[in-house]
Amino acid sequence: MVAFGKKLKERSIEEWQEYYINYKLMKKKVKQYGPQMEVGSLDRRHVLKDFSRMLDHQIEKIALFMLEQQGLLSSRLQKLRERHDALQDEPDISQISNLREAYRSVGQDLLKLLFFIDMNAIGIRKILKKFDKRFGYRFTNYYVKTRADHPYSQLQQVFRHVDPVVDSIKNAVDRLTHSTNFLNFMAQHALIIQDEEDLLITPGEQADQEEGRYHFMSLLLNLANTFLYMVNTYIIVPTADDYSMSLGAAATVCGVVIGAMAVAQLFSSVYFSAWSNKSYFKPLIFSSIVLFFGNLLYALAYDSNSLALILIGRLFCGFGSARAVNRRYISDCVPLKIRMQASAGFVSASALGMACGPALAGLLQTNFKIYNVTFNQDTLPGWVMAIAWLVYLVWLAISFREPAREPEEIHTSHSADQNGKMEKGLQKPLLLASEVTEHDDEDDCDGSEESAEDSRKPANSIVDAYKLLTPSVKVQLLIYFMLKYAMEILLSESSVVTTYYFGWSMSSVSIFLFCLGLTVLPVNLVVGSYISNMFQDRQILLASEIMVCIGILLSFHVVIPYTVPQYVFSGFIMFVSAEVLEGVNLSLLSRVMSSRLSRGTYNGGLLSTEAGTIARVIADATITLAGFLGQSMLLNVTLLPSLVICVGSIVATCFTYNSLY
């Protein structure tokens, strides 16, 4: 992998060389501060002051050049506009052709300027991260707080790309912007982290990378796997309490039945993530077989009168969770130009599955026997999903195409096995065509500084991954834990709570959960297309957390009697706010998380999945434990931890607010 300093040098526009961030100088200064502080020639205050001054100078240089170029482009556009107006009165074919070429030239220069801004923004982020990592300071937080909020901030000009040149064409591209923002917002739910340097891949490199890897039917099979798994997760929610009682257990045991799948997923996410380093086809085959048998055991537990068989069946279903493979396939095999759409498809498939699961359960209202095998509302979800996974398995075996593995990837895995230094296949670079063995000369000037290769290799263990988590990342993972916990409490106990307070039938519960699931895509459409254009992500994040907190508070059983409007209204506020929060949370998480967590077994997607799965396990266990206090106490007892965690996440967000860029 080419070091960023070398990449910057190669990709910079030659006539603008002197206006780029001097990344090499900045990196050298960061290395020099260490020895100077050790011998006492510099103290912490002087280091911060000197580095701030130098960074200010670099940003000022970039911003002033950017403003100069904007002025030149604006002037050219104004003159072209005058020519355009003149041609309206007296059309001239040759002049129209010349005008079109002139507009094309301005467009190309605008793209050059935007590329210049992107390269410098990446350089600023990287040098700030390097400074924080080397000295253990929260300098990025301090620097952004003191510079970015100023009304004349040059840092904001670089990072926000507020370009007056674009204003003249804004109205013409508004519809496209709204559509793209929605796709981008949906894609970020998938947390498929893209290395910043992926943006620097040339078309030739991209074509080499995609050759032999992308296959539309294989992508469709991954999305179908995602959809079916989410249906499988939520199809039992409306009937889990009734199934538990029919086997002689308490209704609140439904928490354990629902949560058993999440417990197994804690382990399956890791081994599926590791397995996807070698293959995508075999893990999906294994997943389908395990899910088939898991649902079969779940369905047969009724006639066996065995609660243990239900739990074993659900554990099997959890062990078949291949969401890590689905994410990895999109990240590694789908071309950059359609990766955002594929990621949005992943999220949409999940949302659709979440809505269809309870709806399908509501349709399975029948009771009959065939050869002493019972088919009723409790067992039919298992039978239906078993058949679905069997059909999917056949489709998978016929249509899936294993992506070609790159020679560099195979060689790297083989070397890693010989040396015993890391897991096989983890060193699969994202920029294969531009991989080099030599380091940038700036990386060689200090042996204590980690090499370019080491700074980009994936984490080899959960401990290594944890070390890469900054305070901002930890807070975002806490928020993700909180929202998944709150949503799981709402969904998993809905059948028990509504039956106890309102006497709802299973069909009524199914309709309620179906309506909740249907809100996912419209809410994301509104947020992704409009709200995200008006407010910063961190502002939406904090507002959404507060709304989740309000939804939790409104859900408590304080006023007697507890009414349907109160439950439904508070539930929708909590669920919709949590959905908005999830999208913004994962968007910010993908930006503040280390690029080393964009690949390998212990990647950012796995960490977020584990955080969410742990939250679901704890939430389901809380429901079962609270059941020992009686159903009258269930609602308030389970909501109390949600409230505490939510308040804690709001406080943590306020402490890291200025680092959320």
Side-chain angles (χ1 to χ4, degrees):
M1 182 76 71
V2 179
F4 174 74
K6 189 167 186 177
K7 181 75 69 176
L8 176 64
K9 186 176 180 180
E10 291 174 351
R11 300 291 171 85
S12 59
I13 300 164
E14 186 173 353
E15 60 268 27
W16 294 353
Q17 285 273 6
E18 61 184 295
Y19 303 107
Y20 281 87
I21 181 175
N22 194 334
Y23 185 78
K24 182 175 181 179
L25 172 65
M26 299 288 289
K27 187 174 178 182
K28 184 180 291 186
K29 289 293 290 184
V30 171
K31 293 175 183 177
Q32 290 173 350
Y33 288 142
Q36 290 174 342
M37 291 178 68
E38 288 176 5
V39 299
S41 59
L42 282 178
D43 59 19
R44 178 178 179 273
R45 185 174 64 84
H46 283 94
V47 167
L48 293 176
K49 185 177 180 181
D50 185 60
F51 189 71
S52 298
R53 179 188 54 76
M54 188 163 54
L55 191 55
D56 286 342
H57 173 72
Q58 293 293 322
I59 293 173
E60 182 182 27
K61 174 182 68 175
I62 297 164
L64 289 176
F65 178 73
M66 184 177 69
L67 290 172
E68 179 188 355
Q69 292 300 311
Q70 288 175 357
L72 292 173
L73 288 170
S74 297
S75 176
R76 288 169 63 187
L77 282 172
Q78 180 62 34
K79 291 178 181 178
L80 290 176
R81 187 60 179 169
E82 292 172 359
R83 289 174 57 188
H84 177 271
D85 292 341
L87 286 172
Q88 293 283 359
D89 300 329
E90 299 180 14
D92 185 323
I93 299 298
S94 61
Q95 289 297 321
I96 291 175
S97 177
N98 292 336
L99 183 62
R100 185 174 61 246
E101 290 301 319
Y103 268 117
R104 182 178 289 114
S105 175
V106 171
Q108 290 171 344
D109 288 343
L110 174 59
L111 289 175
K112 281 172 60 178
L113 181 59
L114 293 176
F115 186 70
F116 169 84
I117 296 170
D118 278 341
M119 290 288 288
N120 282 289
I122 292 172
I124 293 168
R125 282 194 291 267
K126 282 185 173 290
I127 202 66
L128 284 168
K129 287 180 182 178
K130 189 173 289 293
F131 187 87
D132 284 350
K133 180 179 179 181
R134 190 170 183 86
F135 298 106
Y137 297 160
R138 296 176 63 185
F139 178 74
T140 301
N141 194 356
Y142 160 78
Y143 192 82
V144 170
K145 181 178 180 180
T146 56
R147 268 63 170 183
D149 291 335
H150 193 278
Y152 305 109
S153 168
Q154 292 166 342
L155 182 65
Q156 287 282 30
Q157 291 187 59
V158 176
F159 277 105
R160 286 183 174 226
H161 303 174
V162 179
D163 194 341
V165 177
V166 195
D167 288 345
S168 60
I169 58 173
K170 183 178 184 298
N171 292 332
V173 298
D174 258 356
R175 286 192 296 269
L176 176 61
T177 301
H178 288 319
S179 172
T180 303
N181 285 348
F182 170 60
L183 282 175
N184 190 46
F185 187 79
M186 289 292 290
Q188 286 163 342
H189 275 63
L191 195 62
I192 296 170
I193 302 174
Q194 181 172 297
D195 195 330
E196 285 176 330
E197 293 181 27
D198 280 3
L199 302 174
L200 309 180
I201 299 178
T202 64
E205 289 173 336
Q206 184 175 331
D208 291 341
Q209 188 183 42
E210 294 167 6
E211 186 178 356
R213 295 178 73 82
Y214 174 63
H215 181 230
F216 174 75
M217 187 58 70
S218 300
L219 172 61
L220 191 61
L221 281 160
N222 271 280
L223 297 179
N225 183 282
T226 299
F227 170 76
L228 286 176
Y229 186 79
M230 293 303 290
V231 172
N232 210 149
T233 300
Y234 289 100
I235 193 172
I236 73 157
V237 171
T239 59
D241 59 332
D242 183 69
Y243 204 168
S244 300
M245 289 190 293
S246 69
L247 299 180
T252 51
V253 173
C254 70
V256 174
V257 174
I258 296 170
M261 196 167 175
V263 171
Q265 192 179 343
L266 282 172
F267 303 97
S268 65
S269 296
V270 178
Y271 67 71
F272 272 117
S273 184
W275 202 349
S276 63
N277 289 320
K278 305 174 185 178
S279 172
Y280 301 99
F281 178 65
K282 292 177 182 177
L284 291 175
I285 288 287
F286 176 78
S287 165
S288 305
I289 293 172
V290 171
L291 281 158
F292 168 76
F293 283 108
N295 284 288
L296 202 59
L297 291 173
Y298 182 84
L300 293 172
Y302 188 90
D303 292 309
S304 302
N305 196 31
S306 172
L307 184 63
L309 203 58
I310 285 184
L311 297 177
I312 292 171
R314 291 295 285 178
L315 284 170
F316 264 61
C317 290
F319 283 126
S321 171
R323 286 173 67 82
V325 180
N326 305 144
R327 273 196 181 101
R328 191 71 181 275
Y329 183 87
I330 294 172
S331 175
D332 292 354
C333 303
V334 175
L336 280 172
K337 61 185 177 183
I338 62 168
R339 190 175 299 167
M340 183 170 65
Q341 291 93 322
S343 301
F346 175 85
V347 176
S348 300
S350 298
L352 190 60
M354 182 181 178
C356 289
L360 186 58
L363 298 175
L364 302 176
Q365 300 294 299
T366 187
N367 192 343
F368 61 92
K369 282 193 174 186
I370 299 178
Y371 297 110
N372 295 322
V373 178
T374 303
F375 296 86
N376 59 21
Q377 65 179 22
D378 297 332
T379 63
L380 276 171
W383 290 115
V384 168
M385 292 312 303
I387 294 171
W389 285 113
L390 188 60
V391 172
Y392 175 81
L393 181 61
V394 174
W395 181 24
L396 181 70
I398 294 172
S399 303
F400 191 87
R401 188 174 76 191
E402 183 75 79
R405 295 279 164 171
E406 300 290 342
E408 292 91 341
E409 185 179 339
I410 297 170
H411 175 73
T412 303
S413 299
H414 178 67
S415 301
D417 280 341
Q418 285 183 326
N419 298 329
K421 291 182 179 178
M422 59 187 66
E423 295 181 41
K424 184 177 181 180
L426 290 184
Q427 286 188 316
K428 184 176 65 57
L430 292 178
L431 299 176
L432 294 170
S434 61
E435 183 174 4
V436 294
T437 55
E438 72 272 18
H439 297 160
D440 189 2
D441 54 358
E442 61 186 308
D443 290 308
D444 296 331
C445 64
D446 187 350
S448 64
E449 182 75 10
E450 62 183 355
S451 67
E453 181 181 355
D454 288 341
S455 68
R456 287 164 178 79
K457 70 180 182 181
N460 297 327
S461 68
I462 197 71
V463 176
D464 286 346
Y466 182 80
K467 290 178 180 177
L468 294 172
L469 303 183
T470 62
S472 299
V473 175
K474 291 176 183 176
V475 169
Q476 295 308 305
L477 289 175
L478 171 64
I479 294 171
Y480 192 69
F481 176 94
M482 178 273 291
L483 69 91
K484 286 297 181 183
Y485 182 93
M487 291 172 70
E488 188 72 9
I489 288 291
L490 173 65
L491 299 174
S492 295
E493 72 178 13
S494 58
S495 183
V496 180
V497 169
T498 54
T499 301
Y500 176 77
Y501 286 107
F502 318 127
W504 280 9
S505 65
M506 195 272 285
S507 297
S508 299
V509 178
S510 298
I511 293 171
F512 172 67
L513 295 176
F514 176 64
C515 291
L516 283 180
L518 284 181
T519 63
V520 174
L521 292 179
V523 166
N524 283 315
L525 175 63
V526 172
V527 175
S529 298
Y530 300 101
I531 296 179
S532 62
N533 293 327
M534 295 185 287
F535 302 99
Q536 296 177 6
D537 281 356
R538 57 181 182 170
Q539 293 173 328
I540 303 173
L541 180 87
L542 189 56
S544 300
E545 287 180 272
I546 294 171
M547 289 303 299
V548 170
C549 190
I550 291 172
I552 294 171
L553 285 170
L554 292 175
S555 298
F556 276 93
H557 180 200
V558 178
V559 179
I560 299 175
Y562 194 61
T563 63
V564 172
Q566 180 186 349
Y567 178 77
V568 172
F569 180 68
S570 61
F572 267 90
I573 288 178
M574 188 196 310
F575 188 83
V576 169
S577 301
E579 276 298 322
V580 174
L581 179 60
E582 181 175 2
V584 181
N585 168 247
L586 294 181
S587 170
L588 286 168
L589 191 57
S590 66
R591 273 185 265 161
V592 299
M593 191 172 279
S594 169
S595 59
R596 289 180 60 187
L597 294 172
S598 64
R599 49 195 177 272
T601 300
Y602 301 96
N603 54 63
L606 174 66
L607 294 180
S608 65
T609 299
E610 293 292 273
T613 305
I614 291 172
R616 290 172 52 207
V617 170
I618 296 175
D620 291 325
T622 302
I623 293 171
T624 300
L625 293 174
F628 289 108
L629 301 175
Q631 292 190 26
S632 62
M633 298 286 291
L634 177 66
L635 183 64
N636 287 349
V637 169
T638 53
L639 286 174
L640 189 59
S642 299
L643 181 62
V644 172
I645 300 170
C646 186
V647 171
S649 70
I650 292 173
V651 173
T653 300
C654 292
F655 275 105
T656 59
Y657 187 77
N658 289 307
S659 62
L660 300 178
Y661 270 83

